Structure formats: structure tokens, C-alpha cells
Amino acid sequence: MSAKSPQDGTGTPAVSDPRIAGQGDAGLPDPGRPDAATADAQPAETGTAATNTRNTGPGRLLIAVYAVFAISATARAGYQILTKFSEAPLAYLLSAFAAVVYVVATVSLAKPGRTAFKVSVVAVLVELVGVLVVGALSVFDSVNFPHETVWSLFGRGYGFIPLLLPILGLIWLYRRRPASLKG
């Protein structure tokens, strides 16, 4: 052995640089460590991927339906406000409000985390209250609702899906609530 080439006693040069020693560079696993492949493959935010199940399985269908309603309600409200706002301003402003609620619900349902979960619950609750209030008002006060909105007559123009959607959404959210909110 020479003083200029240090060795670790096994015939291999002792190296102080972990990248050269096979301890991984830029997230590459060390083939000498049996747990290296699984340790490096874990998400940066521990537990989020495993606990966020709102946007999997039937949740994807729920998000897709919300997305369709977000797009259709936004388009409908935009058209109504731009072309015939003076005919039914209250109804068309409520259509725009419904569009915003659907957009917020869609985005928050798709995002992981407790904050997004809470935003989802609020958005879906607002939607349910909106459908019930606007539905009742459109039945009993048809003067202020001469033209239909998404929520008029409890969503009759959309096959009552606007009435069923928040109920299904709340059930889904309840079943998929984060562990820290279960009690």
C-alpha cells in the first residue's frame, strides 16, 4: 500500500465523495442498499398521496361532472349576461355565481390536502343551499326568475343533476375526509 492511494482494507480505494462511492447522485438509488429503491421513490410530501383519495375511483367521475357543470354554467352565464342581462338580471347573476361555485368545487375536489378538502366542503354546501334557495324562489317568485338558471326549479333543466350533485358530493367528501378530521 502506498501513502498516496488510501484503501479501506478490501482492496478498493476509500473514497470520501458519496457520489463516487455509489450512495446515489440526484436521487439515484445505491445498488448496495436494499431499501434504496423504495426510499427514493416516496413522494416529497409524506402521506399526502396515500391519504388523498378524493380524486380516485368514483371521485374522478364526480370531478368530471363538476368540470362539465363549471364549463356549461360559465358559458351559459356569460352568454346570458352579455346578450340579455336586462331581461332577468337577478337570474343571470345567480347563474354566474353558480358557475363560480362549480369552478371552485371542481378545482378543490381535484387538489390534495386538508385545505382543499375544506374548500370542497364549503363549495358543495354553498351549491346545495343555492340549489334549494334558488329552486324554491323560482317556484314561488317566478317574476324575478323569468328565465331559467342552472339552479332554477331545482335544476329541472339539467335533469335535477344540480340537486343530486351536491348531495353525492357531500357523501363522497364525508367518506374520503382526511384522518385528522375524523372524530
Side-chain angles (χ1 to χ4, degrees):
M1 269 205 313
S2 98
K4 296 199 185 217
S5 64
Q7 295 191 1
D8 64 1
T10 62
T12 12
V15 181
S16 61
D17 189 353
R19 292 175 293 178
I20 297 171
Q23 294 177 359
D25 183 21
L28 297 175
D30 179 4
R33 273 186 21 214
D35 65 332
T38 57
D40 291 338
Q42 291 179 351
E45 208 175 307
T46 308
T48 302
T51 60
N52 180 35
T53 58
R54 289 191 319 274
N55 58 7
T56 59
R60 287 185 181 183
L61 178 61
L62 185 69
I63 293 167
V65 173
Y66 268 102
V68 167
F69 270 85
I71 292 167
S72 65
T74 301
R76 180 180 185 158
Y79 173 78
Q80 290 171 328
I81 289 172
L82 291 174
T83 60
K84 44 190 174 177
F85 182 72
S86 61
E87 294 177 21
L90 178 61
Y92 297 151
L93 287 174
L94 286 171
S95 278
F97 178 72
V100 170
V101 170
Y102 284 124
V103 168
V104 170
T106 302
V107 171
S108 63
L109 281 166
K111 292 184 84 168
R114 286 188 329 190
T115 302
F117 173 82
K118 291 175 183 179
V119 171
S120 297
V121 170
V122 170
V124 174
L125 281 171
V126 167
E127 176 194 4
L128 180 60
V129 170
V131 170
L132 294 174
V133 169
V134 172
L137 286 174
S138 63
V139 169
F140 298 113
D141 186 14
S142 59
V143 173
N144 283 318
F145 294 91
H147 297 244
E148 284 196 13
T149 70
V150 176
W151 294 341
S152 293
L153 303 171
F154 305 102
R156 182 180 74 178
Y158 291 88
F160 298 102
I161 293 173
L163 180 61
L164 296 175
L165 191 59
I167 295 167
L168 295 174
L170 288 171
I171 292 169
W172 179 254
L173 286 168
Y174 178 76
R175 290 184 177 176
R176 301 298 178 176
R177 68 192 182 278
S180 60
L181 298 176
K182 293 180 181 178

